[in-house]
Each structure stands twice: as C-alpha cells, then as structure tokens.
Amino acid sequence: MPSSPSVPESTAGPQDIEPQDTEPTTIERARRLTDAVTRLRRALRSSIRTDYPWESLPMAQVELLQTLAAAPLRVGELAARQRLAPNTVSGLVGKLLEAGFVDRQADPGDRRTARIALTPAGRRQLDDWQRAHERRIAGALDTLSTADRDAVMHALPALENLARALAEPPA
C-alpha cells in the first residue's frame, strides 16, 4: 500500500502546518518560546534541588526577595511591581517573615505603614540562590557546541528587550 504524501489532520502537529499569513507564525513563535522558557525553568529548578534542597523556595518568594534587594517597599508597592494582589503578597511576605528572610520596618514617610526589608539571612539566601543558578547554567552552557552557546549569548539582548516589553502594561 503506497504511503500518502500528506499527513492526516488528526496527527499533524503545529510544526507540520504551513502558516497561511504572519499571525500563525507569530503565534507559533510565541508558543515555541513559551515552551522553551517553561522547560528551561523546570530543568534548572529540578537540577539544582539535588545540591540545594532550599531551592524548593517558591519562585514567587524568590522574586519578592529579588525586588526587595534594591530597597525596602510597602506591601502595596511590592504587589504593584510583581503584578500580584496585595493579599497574595501579604501571604508571601508572611512566609518570608517566618523564615527570617525579611522584616518589617517603620516607614519614615508614614508611621502607620511598614516597609518590608531584606534581612542579612534573606540576602544570603538570595545570593546563594543566584550563585547556584549561575553555576548550573554555566555548566550546562559548557556542554553546548560553540555555535549553540554563541546563539544563546547573541539572543540575550533580544530576550532582555522581550522581558522589558512584557513588563509594560498591555496597551
């Protein structure tokens, strides 16, 4: 029985479909990038957990520590920067307070509110987290071919621009 030159619709994947105009190409690129970023984050976090059991710290808490590394902020300011609900940030801050990674400081501009600040323990945790990720990524980059490593490095400015574009509120 001769094989059919076309792929049946039921088994065709996104990579098998020819784009008809620029919109599907844009969506497909976005899908591929989303998949790659998701796999990168998952692979990085799971590979580090064997050496650093504390890596189970939720990413939302790590992101709060990263934001607080620049300066103490009120919960509302943290929520706005992270694009999270204030009650969600309050819960995350509570966990970080329990762990000793942040503390509450009186706000010099408004004594009725408090600012959340990184503690020395929080700074150490964040620094350890950063170094562990840098070492793991450096090791993985070393396993790539020179061409792949160069391609990753050349993509960084565009990825940084994409991150800035995503940080902007939608038009």
Side-chain angles (χ1 to χ4, degrees):
M1 175 187 233
S3 64
S4 170
S6 63
V7 176
E9 285 186 18
S10 62
T11 62
Q15 70 279 6
D16 299 321
I17 299 170
E18 290 285 327
Q20 300 301 314
D21 61 309
T22 58
E23 188 61 24
T25 300
T26 301
I27 295 299
E28 180 57 28
R29 286 179 179 164
R31 183 178 298 122
R32 287 186 63 198
L33 182 57
T34 299
D35 291 346
V37 168
T38 300
R39 286 193 317 272
L40 278 169
R41 284 184 69 173
R42 188 178 307 124
L44 180 59
R45 287 182 65 95
S46 66
S47 69
I48 286 179
R49 282 190 183 124
T50 55
D51 294 331
Y52 300 94
W54 51 259
E55 178 54 20
S56 62
L57 190 67
M59 193 63 199
Q61 290 179 21
V62 171
E63 289 170 353
L64 288 183
L65 293 177
Q66 290 172 324
T67 301
L68 291 169
L73 295 168
R74 294 183 199 131
V75 169
E77 294 167 328
L78 269 171
R81 289 196 187 181
Q82 299 303 119
R83 293 189 180 166
L84 295 171
N87 63 338
T88 300
V89 172
S90 289
L92 294 168
V93 166
K95 300 283 187 194
L96 292 171
L97 282 164
E98 289 172 19
F101 296 147
V102 299
D103 62 13
R104 293 185 196 274
Q105 299 176 342
D107 187 334
D110 184 354
R111 294 282 181 195
R112 296 169 298 165
T113 62
R115 294 186 315 170
I116 308 303
L118 211 56
T119 63
R123 169 62 68 189
R124 281 190 303 277
Q125 180 78 6
L126 186 57
D127 290 347
D128 287 349
W129 183 92
Q130 185 70 31
R131 280 192 303 274
H133 282 75
E134 289 166 356
R135 282 192 302 269
R136 183 63 183 111
I137 290 173
L141 282 170
D142 284 345
T143 68
L144 299 179
S145 68
T146 301
D148 281 351
R149 191 170 39 252
D150 288 347
V152 168
M153 299 313 293
H154 287 299
L156 287 178
L159 290 170
E160 290 164 349
N161 289 337
L162 179 61
R164 276 191 291 280
L166 288 169
E168 294 295 319

